[in-house]
Amino acid sequence: MDFLTIIQVLDSTIRLSTPLLLACLAGLYSERAGIFDIGLEGKMLMAAFFSAAVAAVSGSVWLGLLAGIASSLVLAGLHGLASITFRGNQLISGVAINFLAAGMTVLVAQDWFKQGGRTPSLFGGARFEPIDWPLAETLSGIPILGPIYAELLSGHSVLVYLAFLAVPGTWWLLYRTRFGLRLRAVGENPAAVDTAGVSVVGLRYAAVMICGVLCGIAGAYLATALQAGFVKDMTAGRGFIALAALIFAKWRPLHAMWACLLFGLLQAIALRFQNIDLGGVVIPVQVMDALPYILTVVILAGFVGKAIPPRAGGEPYVKER
């Protein structure tokens, strides 16, 4: 494998890990506040459809992005209503959101566009275009550093850069602000937060809404940047992979980025190399395609060390009288 091939694989890794990273950070906010959310998949899928649909109709990818975020926020609000206000089972609420999104997106797409549950292909202003950094073409001929700058760092859409900037932003918000301190506290000991005169319900709703925004951006990226339109079940389990990455990272932003990059690397290798020859043993592409999901099962089975979630996670808070 030459240097240029490695750069191309890493470039694909960044692109493929972006929706995972956004969804993983979304789950981090929600679960740090004590609200388990396995509905990441459904929110991403709903956002992917509405972003692609609105972008196809309006010709504006930014309107599509806003529509994707809005649709994800609606599902996030439903999850918050069921889990926080009515103190329902958070896991069942997440499962319901996944089923709702899986069925509703195909039904509405078929009724709207009559293309078998998909949207028209997106072109021009209806898609996020790559951003070329200054002098990328000129510097590409410089050995080693040139391809890294021109191929690996340059040429991504604005949502890719937003996703990776969200990692230090999330760290700063959670660990260097009063809001972050309260958010983490409400996932560990909501009674103490309530005693201090801070609204537990308000903080948890804020976390769920932030989760909805990030899932909306992730879904919009899938449909308007990584691909050129919406197709049935296009999230392909990314929401569950993001949850596995979150557990792998033990609910820490920087570790979450590396976990998502690992999953993205496995997907990039599977796309790049159809069959891998290891000392005469040929590994078929189907095995490589399944690797991210196998790793998800391994992580969730607890083979990465003990991952302790927030102590109040999954438990509805009942105010003491």
Side-chain angles (χ1 to χ4, degrees):
M1 185 185 297
D2 59 15
F3 180 71
L4 185 58
T5 302
I6 293 174
I7 291 295
Q8 291 171 347
V9 170
L10 293 178
D11 180 68
S12 297
T13 297
I14 291 174
R15 298 175 192 273
L16 292 169
S17 63
T18 295
L20 297 177
L21 179 56
L22 287 165
C24 188
L25 292 177
L28 189 149
Y29 279 104
S30 183
E31 297 197 7
R32 277 289 191 174
I35 303 298
F36 288 162
D37 191 354
I38 62 173
L40 301 177
E41 179 89 357
K43 288 195 280 286
M44 289 172 64
L45 190 62
M46 189 72 80
F49 167 69
F50 276 101
S51 62
V54 173
V57 171
S58 67
S60 171
V61 70
W62 294 104
L63 288 178
L65 175 62
L66 291 176
I69 293 174
S71 63
S72 179
L73 282 172
V74 170
L75 292 185
L78 287 175
H79 183 56
L81 192 66
S83 303
I84 302 170
T85 302
F86 295 112
R87 307 188 187 108
N89 188 291
Q90 298 172 10
L91 300 182
I92 293 176
S93 174
V95 170
I97 285 174
N98 290 336
F99 280 117
L100 175 65
M104 184 176 174
T105 50
V106 176
L107 181 66
V108 177
Q110 174 61 22
D111 183 68
W112 195 345
F113 298 106
K114 304 295 192 298
Q115 294 188 12
R118 58 190 301 160
T119 63
S121 296
L122 304 178
F123 301 98
R127 287 196 68 193
F128 281 105
E129 298 294 336
I131 299 174
D132 293 322
W133 287 18
L135 302 177
E137 189 69 27
T138 305
L139 299 176
S140 61
I142 299 176
I144 300 179
L145 293 179
I148 291 176
Y149 180 80
E151 298 290 336
L152 189 58
L153 300 179
S154 176
H156 300 289
S157 71
V158 64
L159 297 185
V160 174
Y161 301 115
L162 177 65
F164 283 90
L165 286 174
V167 176
T170 296
W171 177 86
W172 177 82
L173 185 64
L174 288 179
Y175 296 101
R176 289 294 182 269
T177 67
R178 181 179 297 178
F179 173 78
L181 174 63
R182 290 173 173 175
L183 189 72
R184 287 182 289 123
V186 84
E188 296 290 340
N189 192 342
V193 175
D194 193 21
T195 302
V198 180
S199 172
V200 173
V201 171
L203 279 171
R204 287 188 165 179
Y205 264 109
V208 168
M209 291 298 107
I210 294 173
C211 174
V213 170
L214 290 174
C215 282
I217 298 173
Y221 173 81
L222 280 175
T224 60
L226 191 62
Q227 298 183 36
F230 173 84
V231 295
K232 178 184 177 183
D233 295 331
M234 69 181 304
T235 48
R238 285 181 173 88
F240 300 107
I241 294 176
L243 282 176
L246 182 60
I247 296 171
F248 191 15
K250 298 180 180 179
W251 294 270
R252 290 175 289 185
L254 185 60
H255 295 72
M257 182 186 74
W258 293 116
C260 292
L261 284 171
L262 172 61
F263 282 107
L265 177 63
L266 294 176
Q267 292 179 343
I269 292 174
L271 290 174
R272 179 78 184 185
F273 304 101
Q274 296 300 303
N275 295 288
I276 297 179
D277 191 346
L278 296 178
V281 178
V282 178
I283 301 177
V285 65
Q286 290 83 359
V287 174
M288 298 305 300
D289 287 335
L291 270 181
Y293 305 97
I294 295 173
L295 184 58
T296 301
V297 174
V298 170
I299 289 172
L300 294 178
F303 290 103
V304 293
K306 192 174 183 180
I308 302 175
R311 284 184 296 175
E315 299 177 3
Y317 176 65
V318 180
K319 187 179 180 67
E320 295 182 359
R321 298 187 181 276

